[in-house]
Amino acid sequence: MNQANQSNQLNTIEDDVTTAWIRRYRPSATSTARLVCFPHAGGSASFFHPLAPRFAPDTDVVSLQYPGRQDRRKEPFVEDIESLADLLADEIAALSDKPTVFFGHSMGAALAFETAHRLEQRGTRAPRSVIASGRRGPATVRDEEVHKRDDEGVIAELKKLNGTDMAIFGDEELLRMALPAIRNDYRAIESYRCEESKALRAPIVVLTGDQDPKTTRAEAEAWEKHTEGAFRLREFTGGHFFLTEHQVEVNREIETELAAARRAGEHG
C-alpha cells in the first residue's frame, strides 16, 4: 500500500469531497446510503453522471475515475484487475461508513466484485449488495485478445459494442488520446482470472442484455456461484450497452438495492 493510500485510511474522505479517484457530481452531506459506480473498459467516471441527479441528495453517488484517462491521462495505467481492485479498496475504505451498493458495468462488474471481496476480507466498508451489469461470471473465461489488435481492430470492437460516443471516431485527436486507455483496460480484463470458489457474502444482482455479444444468459447466470447470499438476474432487450436504452428500469433495480441496503443498515 502506498503512502497516499495509508494517509487516506487514516483520514476519512468527507461526503462532499471529490478526489482523483472519487467523483461526485451532486455532493451531499446528508445522504443516508451510497452508490459506488465502476466504469467499463475505456470508460470514465462521467459515464455515470446521470445517476447523480436521479439519486442525490438521499444517496451519495460516487463515480470512480481510473488512472490514465480524461484529467488523469498523464498518470500511469494500472495494468491488471487485481492491482486496480487493491487501489480501489483503499480509496473506498477511506469513505464514511454508510449502507453501500456497488454498481459495475462490463469490466467494472469484475472490479466491483473484486473490490467488494477485498473489503469483506478486511471487514470494513463492504457493500450490502453488488449489481453486476453486462459481464459474465468472474470465473467464466473466453479466449479474447482485442488488446492485441491494431488500432483499427480495437475501433471495430468499440463500434460493435456501441459503448463509445460515436463522435469520438470523427475526432482524430480525441481518438488518439482515448485508445491507450481502452487498450490497457482490454488487456487487464482479458487477462483476468478468478477462482470458481471465490464468493461474496453480499447478494449479487445481475443485469444482462439478451443480444450482448460479450455475455450469454448462461454466462450471466454463472455469477450465482460467486455469492453466499441472494442472487437475482434480470435480462433486458439489447446488446452490451442495454443499460443506456433501459435507464429507467435499471434505475429501479438500483433503487431496490439501495432501499434494501438502508433497511439492512437499520438492523445492523
Side-chain angles (χ1 to χ4, degrees):
M1 186 185 303
N2 62 39
Q3 186 175 359
N5 286 326
Q6 288 177 335
S7 176
N8 273 348
Q9 291 205 334
L10 292 173
N11 300 287
T12 299
I13 300 172
E14 299 298 330
D15 289 355
D16 58 353
V17 170
T18 290
T19 71
W21 293 85
I22 304 295
R23 303 301 165 94
R24 290 176 163 113
Y25 300 110
R26 291 286 181 92
S28 172
T30 61
S31 57
T32 57
R34 175 174 293 121
L35 176 66
V36 181
C37 303
F38 296 71
H40 53 281
S44 61
S46 59
F47 179 77
F48 295 106
H49 186 282
L51 294 180
R54 170 62 179 80
F55 291 103
D58 293 339
T59 299
D60 177 26
V61 180
V62 169
S63 298
L64 298 172
Q65 185 80 315
Y66 313 141
R69 65 213 67 216
Q70 291 188 334
D71 58 332
R72 301 190 72 186
R73 64 183 178 275
K74 294 183 179 179
E75 298 180 39
F77 298 121
V78 180
E79 297 184 348
D80 62 89
I81 296 297
E82 291 79 4
S83 297
L84 187 51
D86 288 340
L87 293 167
L88 291 170
D90 288 342
E91 295 296 323
I92 293 169
L95 297 174
S96 63
D97 188 15
K98 63 183 61 185
T100 296
V101 172
F102 282 4
F103 180 90
H105 182 70
S106 195
M107 181 186 81
L111 274 169
F113 171 78
E114 289 290 344
T115 304
H117 189 266
R118 283 157 173 75
L119 292 171
E120 285 190 349
Q121 295 302 302
R122 296 183 188 185
T124 183
R125 305 298 188 265
R128 299 282 180 167
S129 67
V130 173
I131 304 175
S133 168
R135 180 69 190 173
R136 52 191 177 271
T140 305
V141 177
R142 288 189 185 186
D143 185 16
E144 295 178 319
E145 295 185 329
V146 174
H147 72 279
K148 292 184 178 180
R149 298 180 188 177
D150 61 15
D151 288 352
E152 290 304 315
V154 174
I155 292 170
E157 178 75 6
L158 297 175
K159 289 181 176 179
K160 180 176 75 173
L161 297 179
N162 273 332
T164 301
D165 183 350
M166 297 303 286
I168 196 174
F169 299 114
D171 189 317
E172 185 177 349
E173 183 178 1
L174 279 178
L175 187 57
R176 185 168 60 250
M177 289 171 58
L179 273 176
I182 294 168
R183 188 183 299 280
N184 175 81
D185 290 355
Y186 269 104
R187 181 188 303 109
I189 193 59
E190 288 174 351
S191 62
Y192 168 64
R193 298 294 181 269
C194 175
E195 304 89 351
E196 290 194 11
S197 60
K198 182 179 281 189
L200 300 179
R201 292 188 291 276
I204 293 177
V205 176
V206 173
L207 310 180
T208 189
D210 63 359
Q211 299 174 55
D212 187 349
K214 307 294 281 187
T215 305
T216 66
R217 184 179 178 93
E219 288 173 327
E221 290 171 345
W223 278 97
E224 185 170 10
K225 64 179 129 181
H226 292 282
T227 177
E228 298 170 4
F231 173 80
R232 180 164 56 85
L233 183 148
R234 181 170 178 188
E235 188 175 65
F236 294 85
T237 58
H240 190 59
F241 281 88
F242 64 88
L243 72 173
T244 60
E245 304 166 25
H246 298 281
Q247 191 63 68
V248 172
E249 294 93 333
V250 170
N251 285 348
R252 289 197 189 104
E253 297 293 334
I254 294 172
E255 188 172 34
T256 295
E257 293 308 303
L258 286 169
R262 287 186 172 93
R263 288 194 299 272
E266 291 171 358
H267 295 89

